[in-house]
Amino acid sequence: MPDDHLSSQDAVDAVDVPGESATSSRAQASSGAGGTPPDAPAARVGASPGHGSPSQITPATLWSAIWPDTLLAQDVRNVTHPPSPLMLYLRALGSSRKPARAQPMPSIAFERRDVRLDADDIARYASLCGFSPAHGVPPTWPHLLAFAQHMLLMTDRAFPFAMLGMVHLANHNRQFARLSVGDRLDLHVQCGALYAHDKGQVFTVLTTARRDGNIVWTGESLYLRTGVKDPVGAPYRSELRADATLVTSEKFLAPADLGRRYARVSGDYNPIHLWPLTAKLFGFERPIIHGMWSFARSLATVLPAQAGDQLDLLVEFKTPLRLPGEATLWRERSTATKWVSTLDTPHSAGNVFELRDATGTVPHLRGRWQSFDAAPATEAAAATDPSSLPTTSPTTSTTPDRS
């Protein structure tokens, strides 16, 4: 169960690495399931296919368009009954003796078929994260559906790194079609590219969700295994930079039991999120909330219900939000949706935001969302100033836990 952030204050420096300082003369990369070809150009976390709107990409070419240097895994293992959270945690403990050295990623995948989008489960998740009914199925929900498969992959004997103590650096999710309650998805999880980081090895876990054979959602999760010498791959580059023009729009209250409540919804029972005692066992003064909750809670506020069915979402995690705690959401002064036309690449525009501490000085995360099929924003919407919005508490501080 990866840590969502580094435990110390220098986490910002650890994950906010400019491309120039991340260069390694020994950067090598292996081809195959999780590899990048030798001498590949430095890649950015938020890099997109560059083929215009996702609607222009056929299912047959979608994988190669998004991850051109990653082959589909050869060994695909079907998951019919996901293990219990206790079993997954025991598997994570069992991986703790793996050496911290750079190795090729295994060409294995875990696939779970016919996964139903359950209305009650989605409602509990949406309530806990602040999504409204108008949002429909939250675009972050497939990540949670695939969590057990992530765990199975990262605790497999062939996986080269110990799981405990990993740092969750970033997530890049793409939604290519609207998801609806009752949909049935086939979820595929495997290793992706490796990146060299000055604090260790960055590896990628790729998730695809198919509906009726078509890819409707993809996820790219980047993790840092600290302490690995001579990491391989292209230099890791943070995609999002600090933006001094953002204004505060809302305060979030994160109660002491939030980690336990989110664990019951997500299945992520990492001890650092649950109780003060279990957090201290892993070097944290107090429990910290899951980074994916912080991302979803921020996204629920900044993402308009009319954002469209095709979305590109990027988040980079910076420092932990301790429980209980308070955070402030910062976003652009204009709330106009930056729409991406079919002639633009997904990288050409974005609606950026940051979740910071109560003082507004230390970032917990930086994010960006983009829409490919929503109508362009009107001038009236562009004039809206989020700084004039009233300060409210999040759903988690006012709505009873229904899990």
Side-chain angles (χ1 to χ4, degrees), residues 53 95 130 153 283:
S53 169
S95 71
L153 175 65

Side-chain angles (χ1 to χ4, degrees), residues 112-131:
R112 187 179 170 206
R113 299 175 181 174
D114 201 33
V115 180
R116 184 174 180 272
L117 299 188
D118 183 80
D120 292 339
D121 291 343
I122 292 171
R124 285 193 292 269
Y125 173 76
S127 175
L128 193 62
C129 298
F131 288 103

Side-chain angles (χ1 to χ4, degrees), residues 191-235:
C191 297
L194 294 167
Y195 298 97
H197 194 291
D198 63 352
K199 292 186 179 295
Q201 181 69 65
V202 175
F203 66 92
T204 312
V205 175
L206 307 179
T207 304
T208 57
R210 286 180 169 85
R211 181 178 59 196
D212 299 326
N214 296 322
I215 296 178
V216 292
W217 186 95
T218 63
E220 187 174 357
S221 302
L222 285 93
Y223 300 96
L224 170 65
R225 174 73 270 174
T226 58
V228 176
K229 296 181 179 179
D230 300 328
V232 300

Side-chain angles (χ1 to χ4, degrees), residues 28-38 40 67-71 103-107 190-195 204 206 232-234:
Q28 302 286 333
S30 60
S31 61
T36 302
W67 301 307
D69 301 322
T70 301
L71 302 178
Q103 300 179 54
M105 304 302 282
S107 182
Q190 70 166 73
C191 297
L194 294 167
Y195 298 97
T204 312
L206 307 179
V232 300

Side-chain angles (χ1 to χ4, degrees), residues 268-300:
D268 185 352
Y269 283 86
N270 189 331
I272 64 175
H273 304 304
L274 304 180
W275 304 94
L277 178 59
T278 57
K280 287 180 181 179
L281 291 175
F282 292 89
F284 291 84
E285 296 178 1
R286 304 201 309 267
I288 64 173
I289 187 54
H290 305 68
M292 288 303 292
W293 177 88
S294 299
F295 176 43
R297 185 64 188 91
S298 302
L299 197 62

